[in-house]
Structures are given as structure tokens and as C-alpha cells.
Amino acid sequence: MMTGFRLNLAPLKEPLGFIKCVEWLTAIFAFGSCGGYSGRNIVSLFCSEGRNETLNVTFSYPFRLNLIALVEANTTLCNRSVPVIHLVGDSASSAQFFVGVAIICFLYSIVALIVYLGYMHMYKDSDFGPMFDFGLTAAIAFLWLVCSSAWAKGLQNVKDATGTAGITSTLAFSKESGVECEVTDFANMRTLNVSVVFGYLNLIVWAGNAWIVYKETRCHSQKYTAQQGAGAGRGQQVPAAI
């Protein structure tokens, strides 16, 4: 068996290498659209005295909303002294899980491409390489299902907490004093919506890759050989004499 690095770009023209490049790109888009997000909502308070107050709500990854002050301590709003008030909710676990899976996929795609392009002769000569690749690829596909679903729910929680209904329920004093509250300028969450889309896209891509890698394993080749042998045996049967 030949050992050592031997550069061969041919796998990039095959599904095994091409889909790994796609996974590398989709992982970048997934963690980039989520991990680099920062947005701001502008909240308008319509006081009973006829004047208005404005609050700026800035939030960003990893979306620990319960640590973000909606109103600073001893702030005067609508002629009332208001204590410190924080947003409600914490979506850090789902957001960090999502970004973590994306980073792991990004790194694994690089390592796999190095193996495909430089050590394919060793990869195909061993049983361990394809089986390990298949097992890890299938596990990552499952992780994409879990983390994308968790982040989709976490994103919805962020939208609810920073929307008009969420802000109004957080500002309890507005109900007692007749102050109307409304989010008049919403943060653009398009990139966060895109991150969820790329999460499920990664699920589809990695699930398809698992099938492609499975065809490189000894289990699939033995099954295919056995089926071919059975078909050839039936074709070579001698017809019985009449």
C-alpha cells in the first residue's frame, strides 16, 4: 500500500469531493449569518401627558436577553422613576449549539477534503476510513436536525421578546399608568431567518453525503457484489431437459 501525501484533484469532480465543498460553504453561511448578528429595536412610549419617550433595545449573538437592560436604573419615563428592567428570555444555548455545530462541520470539511485530495489511495485501501467517515457524517446530519430545530425555536423566542407584545409585558408600569408602548422600528432579522434556512439545507446536504460515503464502505461493496453474483448465477442456470 502506498503511503504519503499524493495530490489528486480528481475527487473534486466526483460527488464525494464536490459535496464536501458544498458543505464547507453552507457551514460558513450558517455560522456567519447567526454568530455575527446585531440588531436594534426602537420602542416608543406614548405618555398620558401627551409627550413621547423613546427606548433603544440593542441585542446580539448569543441572545442572552435577560442580561440586556431595556431600561437603565433610576430612569425617568413619563414623569415616573423606573427601576432597571431587563428583557425576558435566553436563547444562548440554542444559538451557540447551532454555531458550534456549524464550526465543527466547517473544520471537518477541511480535514475531509485534505484526505480526499491527498490520501485517497489510503482512504480506499482501508476499511476504517470510509466507515469512520460514514458514521461521523450520519451523526452530523442528525446534529443539524437537532440544532436547526432548536435554533428555529430560539429565534422565535427572540422575536417574541423583542416585539411589541413582549416589550409591553416586560414594561409592567405601562399598564398601570396608561402608557402605550409600541415598537416603531424593528431590527432586520433577515440574516437570522437565513441562518435557519441554511441549517435545514445543511441537514439535507449532509444526509445526502452520508449515502454517498456509505457507497464507499466495504458493507455496500460486498452487498453489491453479492447481488451481482446472484444475478449472474441465475442467468447461467442450464434449462432442464424436456
Side-chain angles (χ1 to χ4, degrees), residues 19-28 109 137 202 205-206 209:
I19 198 170
K20 195 61 67 178
C21 295
V22 174
E23 291 169 347
W24 179 74
L25 289 174
T26 53
I28 293 176
S109 298
T137 301
N202 272 288
V205 173
W206 282 85
N209 188 20

Side-chain angles (χ1 to χ4, degrees), residues 156-187:
Q156 187 58 51
N157 292 339
V158 172
K159 292 179 179 179
D160 292 341
T162 57
T164 297
I167 297 294
T168 302
S169 62
T170 303
L171 294 174
F173 80 94
S174 64
K175 300 178 181 179
E176 302 172 356
S177 55
V179 176
E180 294 185 9
C181 172
E182 182 181 355
V183 178
T184 54
D185 190 2
F186 286 90

Side-chain angles (χ1 to χ4, degrees), residues 1-137:
M1 181 176 64
M2 300 181 64
T3 60
F5 183 85
R6 298 176 64 238
L7 181 61
N8 181 13
L9 300 180
L12 292 178
K13 302 177 182 179
E14 301 174 358
L16 185 65
F18 177 77
I19 198 170
K20 195 61 67 178
C21 295
V22 174
E23 291 169 347
W24 179 74
L25 289 174
T26 53
I28 293 176
F29 286 118
F31 71 72
S33 56
C34 177
Y37 179 82
S38 179
R40 184 183 68 172
N41 281 2
I42 297 179
V43 183
S44 296
L45 301 177
F46 304 99
C47 306
S48 57
E49 296 85 0
R51 62 190 185 87
N52 301 336
E53 300 278 1
T54 301
L55 298 175
N56 293 323
V57 185
T58 301
F59 52 96
S60 60
Y61 175 85
F63 307 103
R64 289 190 175 92
L65 302 181
N66 58 333
L67 300 181
I68 299 175
L70 176 59
V71 179
E72 299 294 340
N74 300 321
T75 300
T76 301
L77 294 175
C78 298
N79 295 328
R80 294 168 180 82
S81 181
V82 181
V84 61
I85 300 176
H86 292 86
L87 293 174
V88 177
D90 185 358
S91 298
S93 58
S94 59
Q96 290 176 327
F97 181 32
F98 181 84
V99 171
V101 171
I103 292 176
I104 290 174
C105 293
F106 169 77
L107 296 176
Y108 180 64
S109 298
I110 294 177
V111 174
L113 282 173
I114 293 175
V115 174
Y116 294 164
L117 300 182
Y119 300 94
M120 182 57 77
H121 54 288
M122 299 174 60
Y123 177 87
K124 290 193 172 182
D125 286 343
S126 67
D127 295 334
F128 174 77
M131 285 301 299
F132 177 81
D133 195 9
F134 168 70
L136 190 55
T137 301

